[in-house]
Amino acid sequence: LPTEAKSRFSVAKKAFSASYAAPSSKKTILATFHRAHQLAYLYSFEFALDETTRKTVIKLYFRVPLSQITGVTLSTYADNYAIVHFAPAARTVDIVQACRRKTELVGLLVNAIQNKSNRSLPVNFTNKVEINVSLKKQKMVEISWIRDPTVAQGGQVLKLIRHNVRVHAPTGIPAARVQPPPKVTETDKSIQVRQMLEAVYAFKGSDVDELSFEVGDKMTMIEAENQGW
């Protein structure tokens, strides 16, 4: 592994050892490591406690260049699963990855592949897909999603049905609870001359109604606001 990757593994191992005390405790992690002027890789590995030595060991499942990721499949429901598809050169089967931050994970993959190879990663939305789960011979498994109101928000239930997988997903947040975005205030077009302002400091907006700007950016003052800073 690259030096920086080894150091991250070391830190992760210490955190894992401090958090998991039972010998049977395991945690599967999907991670990307980048190195200057080289391709990024997608790693899948597992931390586990060796029952004999009582030390944390790492089991590496695969290491795949981002160039060999061919697409991602997501459902249209509020579940935490993403299917990552690989090219034959990756020598690994497609994976069904559980991730509470799947949107962020997919976003990172899309941006990394775009920056590294100037290629758009296909992101497919469907509630039924078949994947091959065997490298030696073609063995297709159907993965489907259904909306289940008995499943709590933020969770999901997996069921095996005749060698296929069905994901029971929650109904999601009701539309009535989603607040509409703030509307832009109409500008008084009768004012012909407005004061120009130049930013002395940079500011990064923390909400949808806050404007981010950099030092030196010029803005037209529409209205003076005496409240706040």
Side-chain angles (χ1 to χ4, degrees), residues 171-180:
T171 55
I173 300 175
R177 290 177 51 189
V178 179
Q179 297 296 323

Side-chain angles (χ1 to χ4, degrees), residues 4-38:
E4 64 269 28
K6 289 182 180 179
S7 64
R8 295 184 193 182
F9 270 122
S10 178
V11 172
K13 283 178 63 179
K14 291 179 181 178
F16 174 82
S17 299
S19 303
Y20 296 85
S24 60
S25 295
K26 296 181 180 179
K27 188 175 185 181
T28 302
I29 298 175
L30 207 64
T32 56
F33 291 114
H34 300 263
R35 196 174 185 182
H37 310 299
Q38 292 187 12

Side-chain angles (χ1 to χ4, degrees), residues 155-168:
Q156 60 273 311
V157 177
L158 265 69
K159 294 185 178 181
L160 295 178
I161 302 176
R162 288 181 291 184
H163 305 291
N164 295 320
V165 178
R166 178 178 292 173
V167 181
H168 291 241

Side-chain angles (χ1 to χ4, degrees), residues 64-183:
V64 177
L66 294 188
S67 60
Q68 294 177 358
I69 299 177
T70 59
V72 176
T73 296
L74 305 173
S75 78
T76 60
Y77 299 140
D79 63 286
N80 297 328
Y81 286 98
I83 301 176
V84 183
H85 305 280
F86 299 103
R91 298 184 62 82
T92 185
V93 297
D94 297 346
I95 60 169
V96 181
Q97 180 64 37
C99 180
R100 289 185 299 172
R101 298 289 183 266
K102 73 171 184 180
T103 303
E104 289 81 354
L105 172 64
V106 174
L108 287 173
L109 289 177
V110 169
N111 291 335
I113 291 175
Q114 182 68 42
N115 294 335
K116 289 289 181 179
S117 59
N118 197 28
R119 174 173 66 93
S120 297
L121 179 68
V123 179
N124 307 307
F125 290 89
T126 181
N127 295 326
K128 182 181 292 187
V129 64
E130 283 190 340
I131 63 173
N132 184 22
V133 296
S134 175
L135 289 176
K136 297 181 179 180
K137 60 180 180 179
Q138 192 175 48
K139 184 179 180 181
M140 306 304 294
V141 170
E142 181 186 274
I143 302 174
S144 60
W145 286 262
I146 63 170
R147 183 174 292 170
D148 188 341
T150 65
V151 178
Q153 297 295 334
Q156 60 273 311
V157 177
L158 265 69
K159 294 185 178 181
L160 295 178
I161 302 176
R162 288 181 291 184
H163 305 291
N164 295 320
V165 178
R166 178 178 292 173
V167 181
H168 291 241
T171 55
I173 300 175
R177 290 177 51 189
V178 179
Q179 297 296 323
K183 295 183 179 180

